[in-house]
């Protein structure tokens, strides 16, 4: 559905649903800001770009998700046990004009095949779509060799666990000029390939 007048949808009981595409439904989420998809365990693709949705509830036991496109109104990302997921796309825009400024928390666990993190073609692996997060937890997720938290001025807690491919982490330029950084805690464990951490 791509209807600008659509403002409410209930898909909570659609067990066999494969695709959810509400791209461009600009009023969707104005009545109920959370989309409940936890019963849709066969979902392959979810596209909520251009909506007002702030949170999406997926099945915590896992599923068959391969692609998720979040809107810029998203406030929390919580993905668990999505082993087939490759594209977890946050809005960024070529000039970072569409970034999700309200995104506060990102928890991604047991989603080890994610390789695309934003909607740009220049650097689809960049984490910049999360730059306004305060809390980030990645556990056995995201198939990247490098995490760059450059410019994450609101970041307070980072927890990275069981990241097999991770080789390098950069914590650079994480405070506004003349201000103290908000970073309080960094936890890194079971990252056997990690050889370099840069903090400046």
């Amino acid at each position: 559905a791509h209807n600008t007048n659509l403002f409410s949808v209930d898909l909570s009981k659609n067990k066999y649903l494969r695709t959810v595409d509400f791209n461009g439904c600009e009023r969707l989420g104005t009545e109920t800001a959370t989309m409940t998809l936890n019963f849709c365990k066969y979902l392959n693709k979810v596209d909520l770009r251009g909506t007002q949705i702030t949170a999406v509830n997926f099945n915590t036991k896992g599923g068959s998700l391969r692609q998720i496109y979040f809107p810029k109104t998203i406030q929390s990302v919580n993905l668990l046990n999505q082993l087939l997921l490759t594209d977890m796309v946050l809005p960024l825009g070529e000039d970072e004009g569409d970034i999700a400024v309200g995104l506060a928390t990102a928890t991604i666990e047991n989603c080890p095949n994610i390789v695309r993190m934003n909607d740009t073609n220049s650097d689809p692996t960049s984490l910049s779509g999360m730059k306004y997060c305060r809390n980030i937890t990645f556990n056995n997720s995201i198939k990247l060799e490098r995490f760059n938290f450059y410019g994450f001025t609101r970041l307070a807690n980072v927890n990275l666990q069981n990241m097999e491919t991770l080789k390098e982490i950069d914590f650079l330029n994480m405070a506004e000029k003349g201000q103290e950084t908000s970073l309080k805690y960094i936890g890194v464990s079971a990252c056997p390939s990690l050889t370099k951490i840069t903090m400046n």
Side-chain angles (χ1 to χ4, degrees):
H2 304 283
N3 187 335
T4 56
N5 294 318
L6 182 67
F7 62 87
S8 180
V9 173
D10 183 357
L11 302 174
S12 60
K13 302 297 182 187
N14 290 273
K15 180 178 180 180
Y16 296 106
L17 199 60
R18 298 292 198 277
T19 302
V20 172
D21 186 353
F22 292 115
N23 189 343
C25 294
E26 58 191 37
R27 294 184 184 176
L28 183 61
T30 55
E31 184 176 278
T32 304
T34 299
M35 179 162 282
T36 302
L37 299 173
N38 56 317
F39 196 68
C40 309
K41 63 182 182 179
Y42 298 106
L43 272 177
N44 294 144
K45 178 181 177 180
V46 176
D47 190 343
L48 299 173
R49 289 174 290 184
T51 70
Q52 301 296 315
I53 298 294
T54 59
V56 186
N57 294 334
F58 294 105
N59 192 330
T60 58
K61 293 180 181 177
S64 54
L65 275 170
R66 287 171 170 79
Q67 296 176 314
I68 304 169
Y69 296 88
F70 288 104
K72 65 180 180 180
T73 53
I74 198 74
Q75 294 178 3
S76 65
V77 171
N78 191 21
L79 291 167
L80 304 175
N81 305 310
Q82 297 291 344
L83 302 179
L84 303 177
L85 185 62
T86 57
D87 295 21
M88 201 256 5
V89 181
L90 286 164
L92 186 59
E94 295 300 332
D95 59 354
E96 295 191 13
D98 291 325
I99 200 163
V101 296
L103 182 60
T105 302
T107 301
I108 305 174
E109 299 190 41
N110 293 322
C111 303
N113 292 305
I114 296 173
V115 291
R116 186 173 180 204
M117 301 292 295
N118 68 67
D119 61 359
T120 65
N121 293 321
S122 57
D123 186 7
T125 63
S126 171
L127 299 176
S128 294
M130 296 182 176
K131 73 183 291 183
Y132 292 108
C133 271
R134 291 194 50 78
N135 302 291
I136 291 178
T137 298
F138 297 154
N139 183 356
N140 186 31
S141 297
I142 308 174
K143 201 174 189 176
L144 299 179
E145 293 185 358
R146 180 175 182 236
F147 287 167
N148 185 353
F149 295 103
Y150 183 92
F152 281 50
T153 55
R154 297 183 187 175
L155 191 60
N157 300 292
V158 183
N159 199 342
L160 307 174
Q161 303 173 38
N162 303 303
M163 311 293 284
E164 293 288 331
T165 60
L166 186 61
K167 294 181 178 179
E168 183 177 344
I169 308 171
D170 292 339
F171 297 99
L172 303 173
N173 192 28
M174 297 186 67
E176 300 290 346
K177 187 174 182 180
Q179 302 293 318
E180 289 187 7
T181 179
S182 60
L183 191 60
K184 304 298 180 192
Y185 174 80
I186 299 172
V188 180
S189 62
C191 298
S193 302
L194 186 63
T195 56
K196 184 177 181 182
I197 298 177
T198 305
M199 301 185 77
N200 185 357

